[in-house]
Amino acid sequence: MVERLVPDELWELFQRVVPPAPTRPQGGGRRRYGDREVLAAIIFVATTGCTWRQLPPVFGPSGPTAHRRFTEWTKARVWPRLHRLILDELGSRGELDWSRCAIDSVSMRALKGGADRPESCRPRQERVEDPLDRRKVRSADQCRDLPGQPARQPGPAAPRPRHPADPLAPRARRRRPAKLHGDRGYDCDHLRRWLRGRNIALRLARGGVDSSQRLGRHRWTIERTIAWLNGFRRLHRRCERKAQHFLAFVGIAAALICYRRLAK
């Protein structure tokens, strides 16, 4: 089970981004479970959507142990680093095309609520929001290069530039997309200013002016990406109280989707 969920190639990539295990200066304590077994348990939770306490004993670590390690690696930003590393490998093989990029979003229920919801840039969503509805909804943006794989993990924050001293510097430099395709929901001034400041051409349908039918020639790949993300049952609903934990599962799903392309 562990070797099937975490193949040798994925395990080699993960070892390059996982932080070293903490040591006890005084010695003693219980033996720490191996990172590969815990990673397999986390992937099992992400794909099946089971709770941590429903984790089968075949992996070795218990549910609380796997959850603690998941929290530890999330704080260390292991999942976005793994995603970027896999994208670097794809880029070095010439399998990423940055000429076009598409963006879209999906919403799902947050069963445990959350007061850290980001402000939406979609005017339509703001108009239909019911202030009396206590069901919290999370919106996850997914950016994707058209012929390749998910290019950015969803989240409310804009992507930060890589520090020049980062040890995970790519062998093949990643470039910004030349064009960004989106529907009318992304027709907002601050997003257009953000893209112009990065020399990214705008292909966003303007409300009441442009038709969204022509965008379908390029945006079908983002719909396929969302369908791939729906294959991870943990993303069907937000069961985590903390937003960073939900985004961590999205990062795991994006990394695994890209790894499938890398393993071909």
Side-chain angles (χ1 to χ4, degrees):
M1 177 69 76
V2 175
E3 289 75 12
R4 183 176 63 86
L5 293 176
V6 186
D8 294 337
E9 296 80 4
L10 179 60
W11 172 238
E12 293 176 1
L13 294 173
F14 184 79
Q15 286 180 307
R16 296 168 57 181
V17 299
V18 66
T23 59
R24 295 169 57 91
Q26 69 276 19
R30 302 180 63 178
R31 182 179 64 86
R32 180 183 174 93
Y33 281 101
D35 290 342
R36 188 169 186 175
E37 289 75 12
V38 178
L39 177 61
I42 294 174
I43 293 178
F44 182 83
V45 172
T47 54
T48 62
C50 71
T51 64
W52 295 104
R53 295 190 179 275
Q54 293 175 338
L55 193 66
V58 66
F59 297 101
S62 62
T65 300
H67 181 261
R68 284 193 298 268
R69 196 78 59 88
F70 168 79
T71 304
E72 174 186 334
W73 289 342
T74 299
K75 291 182 179 179
R77 296 185 58 81
V78 169
W79 316 118
R81 287 161 63 91
L82 178 62
H83 186 203
R84 289 196 299 264
L85 180 60
I86 297 176
L87 286 177
D88 293 339
E89 294 291 336
L90 289 172
S92 64
R93 298 182 181 183
E95 298 187 18
L96 290 182
D97 183 5
W98 288 93
S99 61
R100 299 178 186 271
C101 189
I103 186 172
D104 205 348
S105 65
V106 293
S107 299
M108 72 285 295
R109 286 190 61 188
L111 300 182
K112 298 182 180 180
D116 54 351
R117 291 181 298 168
E119 293 293 336
S120 174
C121 69
R122 293 196 167 201
R124 293 180 299 175
Q125 291 184 356
E126 293 177 0
R127 288 198 296 266
V128 302
E129 183 178 0
D130 185 1
L132 300 179
D133 189 357
R134 298 189 178 184
R135 295 177 300 175
K136 307 298 183 178
V137 179
R138 292 287 301 183
S139 177
D141 291 325
Q142 178 67 44
C143 185
R144 171 196 172 88
D145 62 304
L146 291 180
Q149 302 297 315
R152 182 177 67 83
Q153 295 182 13
R160 296 179 295 177
R162 183 186 294 272
H163 194 276
D166 196 328
L168 294 177
R171 291 191 293 270
R173 177 180 296 181
R174 291 195 303 272
R175 297 175 297 175
R176 292 172 180 169
K179 302 176 183 179
L180 177 66
H181 295 264
D183 56 20
R184 297 177 184 177
Y186 292 94
D187 184 15
C188 48
D189 295 336
H190 73 271
L191 178 58
R192 291 179 175 271
R193 288 193 300 266
W194 188 87
L195 293 173
R196 289 194 185 100
R198 288 155 179 79
N199 297 323
I200 300 177
L202 302 176
R203 295 295 184 269
L204 303 180
R206 294 170 294 178
V209 179
D210 297 333
S211 173
S212 60
Q213 295 179 355
R214 298 180 59 184
L215 293 175
R217 296 179 299 175
H218 306 293
R219 291 187 63 253
W220 64 271
T221 53
I222 191 65
E223 305 296 340
R224 183 180 63 179
T225 301
I226 294 176
W228 285 341
L229 291 174
N230 287 335
F232 295 85
R233 299 182 62 86
R234 190 72 179 192
L235 302 181
H236 290 183
R237 301 178 184 178
R238 176 184 161 181
C239 302
E240 289 74 27
R241 293 184 181 273
K242 298 182 179 179
Q244 57 267 30
H245 288 179
F246 177 77
L247 295 179
F249 278 115
V250 179
I252 294 172
L256 293 178
I257 292 173
C258 294
Y259 174 74
R260 294 171 187 171
R261 178 70 174 270
L262 185 65
K264 288 184 178 179

